[in-house]
Amino acid sequence: MTIAPESRTSPWRGLPSTVWILVAARAVNRLGAFTLPFLGVVLTVELGATLAQTGLILTLFGLATIPSRIFGGHLADRLGRRSTIVFGLIGCALAQTWIALSSSLWSAVLAVTLLGLVFEIYEPPSQATIADVTQPADRPAAYGLLGSAMAAAAVVAGVLAAALSHWNLRWLFAIDAVTCLACAILIGCALPTDTRAAGNEEPATRTAAWRDRRLLILLLSGTVFAALYMQLILGLPLTLIERNLPTASIGILLTVSALTLIAGQRLLHTTRLRTLDDFTCMTIGYVLLAIGLFANGHAHNLPVFLAATVIWSLGDLLLLGRYYTIVSAIAPDHARGRYLAVFGISWGIASTVAPLTVTQLLDTTGPAGLWTTAALAAVVLAALQPTIRRQLS
């Protein structure tokens, strides 16, 4: 399948109402998703787990999110988008409630495992819904809107976490459960009724996603990108500590990143970017990402970190939506959820690998080595985009 260059991108106001409903619901859900940073604290302080046990439990959670996303993609194509999103959110609410009520470590382990198994179910149907209701030229803007809303909600969630963390930490999980239910109710009431019939696909197509060489190429490339993104999330706070900067600086940098993503959405509507194909935009995105990552490794004060954050955030702006746009373009309509789910495994792999690479590189090479290595990986991905375009075409 040839992926045509984009010739038109609608402004946000031209996006279907379904996209806005989904974005609003996911933002509400993201506001409550400030519990994960406190999960380790609950396990160690309140339930008596050792640091080693806590590390294993959190690793178990990360591994459980991989089949969660695959299951979500399967359900999205078989059961329907809306039903799958609601099912996943209710599952998250139940797991969060279980964690809040756990009085023993083993009970918490089972609850955390359940949370991992349901945590990513709603991602593939959410992404597939956007692809279902938008034209290919509008998808970068639609996915960008979702990413911007999630980034903005994450900043507000961090403020809420700081304000509420003096409570009993179990209340945070209860609040998250409530936001999951609120999101499920909004989705269930406002999204269009599922119309996909389970029997319309041929049995051979059930494994077609794993046999599609184009998708596997995107999965490999996307996994490297996700690892770079997770290195930013995990490595930036540690780098600030290494540079003897206040820990509050990370909140400032994340806020600037979110604001850059939101303000930068206007760039997607400019004539110059609208006439570029996806792979050219991704090449530019990886170059910007590489510059920002390299600057992280050589920054020693907050202003330089702020400048680096703006640069790598602009790179993310061009990359995040494009990947989902390309995956949606190569996927058959009846298997779009599964294609997006397979591609989404990249984030589960990255979440498992990134903590190891960040800590090892920081320990052995320092911030300069960590971020120079990451920048080189981004440069390689930029150079590979013409080859990937030929392989997918």
Side-chain angles (χ1 to χ4, degrees):
M1 175 181 179
T2 299
I3 302 173
E6 294 182 55
S7 59
R8 178 184 62 83
T9 301
S10 299
W12 282 357
R13 64 178 178 273
L15 294 175
S17 59
T18 297
V19 173
W20 287 100
I21 293 167
L22 184 63
V23 167
R26 291 300 308 279
V28 170
N29 178 229
R30 188 67 180 89
L31 284 175
F34 47 67
T35 55
L36 288 182
F38 296 96
L39 183 54
V41 179
V42 170
L43 291 171
T44 54
V45 175
E46 298 198 16
L47 295 173
T50 65
L51 288 177
Q53 289 172 330
T54 298
L56 289 174
I57 295 169
L58 295 179
T59 299
L60 179 63
F61 168 82
L63 292 174
T65 62
I66 296 177
S68 170
R69 191 177 283 261
I70 293 295
F71 185 51
H74 178 77
L75 285 182
D77 292 332
R78 298 279 291 179
L79 185 63
R81 315 301 198 212
R82 185 180 71 172
S83 299
T84 304
I85 296 173
V86 171
F87 173 76
L89 289 168
I90 291 175
C92 286
L94 292 174
Q96 296 276 17
T97 302
W98 188 355
I99 293 173
L101 297 176
S102 292
S103 58
S104 68
L105 182 58
W106 280 111
S107 176
V109 169
L110 294 175
V112 170
T113 303
L114 174 62
L115 181 62
L117 291 172
V118 298
F119 194 73
E120 299 283 352
I121 285 178
Y122 56 70
E123 287 288 355
S126 296
Q127 295 154 4
T129 297
I130 291 176
D132 291 341
V133 301
T134 56
Q135 296 298 318
D138 297 332
R139 287 172 189 163
Y143 286 121
L145 174 61
L146 178 62
S148 297
M150 297 289 279
V155 173
V156 179
V159 175
L160 290 174
L164 299 175
S165 58
H166 64 280
W167 290 8
N168 186 317
L169 293 181
R170 293 171 186 265
W171 278 105
L172 300 181
F173 292 90
I175 293 171
D176 197 359
V178 171
T179 63
C180 286
L181 289 177
C183 182
I185 292 171
L186 179 57
I187 291 291
C189 294
L191 279 194
T193 304
D194 293 323
T195 57
R196 293 181 179 271
N200 285 344
E201 64 170 296
E202 299 178 4
T205 65
R206 296 174 185 173
T207 57
W210 289 106
R211 297 175 180 174
D212 192 328
R213 180 177 56 85
R214 300 169 302 170
L215 179 60
L216 297 181
I217 291 172
L218 288 171
L219 174 59
L220 178 60
S221 172
T223 298
V224 179
F225 166 67
L228 294 177
Y229 191 91
M230 292 304 299
Q231 283 194 188
L232 278 167
I233 300 299
L234 300 172
L236 201 50
L238 297 176
T239 300
L240 292 174
I241 293 173
E242 287 283 332
R243 299 302 192 203
N244 296 315
L245 293 173
T247 54
S249 300
I250 185 59
I252 297 174
L253 296 181
L254 293 179
T255 300
V256 169
S257 177
L259 293 175
T260 302
L261 287 174
I262 295 169
Q265 288 297 320
R266 285 192 169 274
L267 292 175
L268 299 179
H269 307 312
T270 61
T271 302
R272 185 177 296 274
L273 282 182
R274 283 161 53 183
T275 56
L276 296 178
D277 65 84
D278 292 321
F279 299 98
T280 301
C281 281
M282 291 176 71
T283 300
I284 298 171
Y286 275 121
V287 170
L288 289 172
L289 184 62
I291 295 171
L293 293 174
F294 185 80
N296 277 343
H298 296 80
H300 291 270
N301 55 64
L302 187 57
V304 178
F305 275 110
L306 287 171
T309 297
V310 171
I311 296 171
W312 60 254
S313 295
L314 288 173
D316 284 344
L317 173 72
L318 295 176
L319 292 167
L320 283 169
R322 299 287 170 173
Y323 266 118
Y324 293 120
T325 299
I326 296 171
V327 174
S328 299
I330 69 171
D333 289 345
H334 64 268
R336 188 170 283 150
R338 270 164 289 180
Y339 268 63
L340 287 164
V342 171
F343 174 74
I345 291 175
S346 58
W347 292 97
I349 298 173
S351 297
T352 303
V353 172
L356 299 176
T357 59
V358 166
T359 53
Q360 289 298 314
L361 285 172
L362 268 180
D363 185 50
T364 57
T365 66
L370 168 65
W371 298 110
T372 299
T373 302
L376 287 174
V379 169
V380 171
L381 285 173
L384 286 175
Q385 292 310 304
T387 301
I388 295 175
R389 178 202 284 121
R390 289 194 297 271
Q391 292 294 321
L392 267 62
S393 298

